[in-house]
Amino acid sequence: VAAEQNIAATLAEAPLDAVRRAFTFEATERRVLAALKDRVLADGEMIDLDWVERVIGERRTGHWIGGPGRSDPEAQALGRSYDAIQAAVQLFKLHAEHRGRFAFDSGPELLDAYRKGLFQFDRVYRDFQTAAAAIRGQGWNLLKDLGDAVERLYDQGFLQPLGVEWSRLLDEGFLDVWTDEACPAQSKFYAQVIGPMLARSDRKRAFVIISDAFRYEAAVELTEKINRQDRREAEVSPMLGVVPSYTSLGMAALLPHETLGFDDRGEVLADGRSTAGLAGRNRQLESVGGMACQASELIQMKVDEA
């Protein structure tokens, strides 16, 4: 019927308010998306986030996105399009809230601001890009101009001003001090986190999962997901990384140790011993009755062995 009646052409110029509550044809969904995207671009930071979320909530109840049996790629792409628009609006609102407020008196003050709210910039940008990637997989250009606006705002409205301020604080002395009372040093991880945990536990056992370059904002989201499950409890807290920040030094800093150093070849040493590879980490962990293994090995183990 939609093809016979050329519904898409009929809706091509329809205003959002005229089609907002129409659900019969899939072409309506595309028109709502296009009109909503245009409204977001036109109003920018002035758009009402609650209103956008209400419109998107209404659309998600319709057949073409959330109805029974609608798990095909087309339905998924429509749903992800709404996800992308919602994330873009959240980014615009964050920018409006923080514009001109990227000035801090100290490194710890900037870190505290990031931990308490600025991380949301990174999170909603990631949400937008994840949704947009799913849409591109369908060969759609529906949100290309919105994507350009998001990229521009994230770079010029967040990364650049925050990066300039961070560099200034480093140059003016924070790099020389490199301490923050609210952010314990990464090199104190075992002494301040794992050691006390083992001391409190009758089982004397703790599992540490290391994911290289796991972003703080992603850790916040993971914490929220864990806490939504029954009988699960998680919390997130940051630590101040080692400088220079690279994998082999960061991995060594997480191990139990008294001293960290380098040999003549630049290999990282903990208490004078090499920490290179799984064998090196195992040697260091033996001092506290621990061991290291790859995730792929752990998955293959029987429960008692693990």
Side-chain angles (χ1 to χ4, degrees), residues 213-265:
F214 189 41
R215 285 159 43 134
Y216 179 79
E217 51 88 9
V220 171
E221 183 174 341
L222 177 61
T223 302
E224 293 169 356
K225 288 185 176 182
I226 291 172
N227 284 330
R228 285 198 292 269
Q229 299 180 32
D230 291 339
R231 296 176 295 170
R232 297 288 185 271
E233 185 177 338
E235 60 184 36
V236 62
S237 60
M239 301 192 86
L240 191 61
V242 289
V243 175
S245 177
Y246 65 100
T247 300
S248 58
L249 180 57
M251 295 282 278
L254 296 172
L255 295 168
H257 65 271
E258 295 295 330
T259 61
L260 288 177
F262 302 90
D263 64 14
D264 294 339
R265 296 173 299 171

Side-chain angles (χ1 to χ4, degrees), residues 133-178:
I135 302 162
R136 285 193 294 270
Q138 291 294 304
W140 294 2
N141 287 319
L142 181 65
L143 301 180
K144 184 180 183 306
D145 46 356
L146 182 61
D148 293 341
V150 164
E151 198 69 43
R152 188 165 53 249
L153 187 146
Y154 179 66
D155 179 36
Q156 299 174 11
F158 175 65
L159 291 182
Q160 290 188 28
L162 191 68
V164 167
E165 183 67 359
W166 180 239
S167 295
R168 180 186 71 80
L169 293 169
L170 291 176
D171 291 342
E172 293 181 359
F174 183 55
L175 184 58
D176 297 328
V177 179
W178 201 245

Side-chain angles (χ1 to χ4, degrees), residues 32-110:
V32 170
L33 280 166
L36 186 58
K37 179 258 300 182
D38 291 342
R39 180 82 64 89
V40 169
L41 283 172
D43 294 351
E45 295 169 5
M46 301 303 295
I47 197 162
D48 185 340
L49 176 60
D50 290 338
W51 176 81
V52 171
E53 290 180 340
R54 279 198 303 275
V55 173
I56 291 175
E58 291 167 1
R59 303 310 302 181
R60 290 193 190 283
T61 64
H63 167 76
W64 300 107
I65 297 173
R70 293 297 297 177
S71 60
D72 54 279
E74 187 90 354
Q76 294 292 320
L78 289 169
R80 297 304 269 155
S81 297
Y82 285 116
D83 291 341
I85 289 175
Q86 188 166 350
V89 173
Q90 289 171 332
L91 185 63
F92 293 158
K93 302 306 283 187
L94 278 170
H95 182 248
E97 179 184 347
H98 292 281
R99 187 195 293 109
R101 297 175 62 187
F102 293 106
F104 303 92
D105 293 331
S106 67
E109 185 181 314
L110 188 155

Side-chain angles (χ1 to χ4, degrees), residues 111-112 114-120 122-123 126 183 213-223 236-239:
L111 292 172
D112 187 58
Y114 184 85
R115 186 167 63 248
K116 289 181 177 177
L118 291 181
F119 73 89
Q120 295 287 1
D122 289 323
R123 179 170 179 173
R126 173 172 56 85
C183 259
F214 189 41
R215 285 159 43 134
Y216 179 79
E217 51 88 9
V220 171
E221 183 174 341
L222 177 61
T223 302
V236 62
S237 60
M239 301 192 86

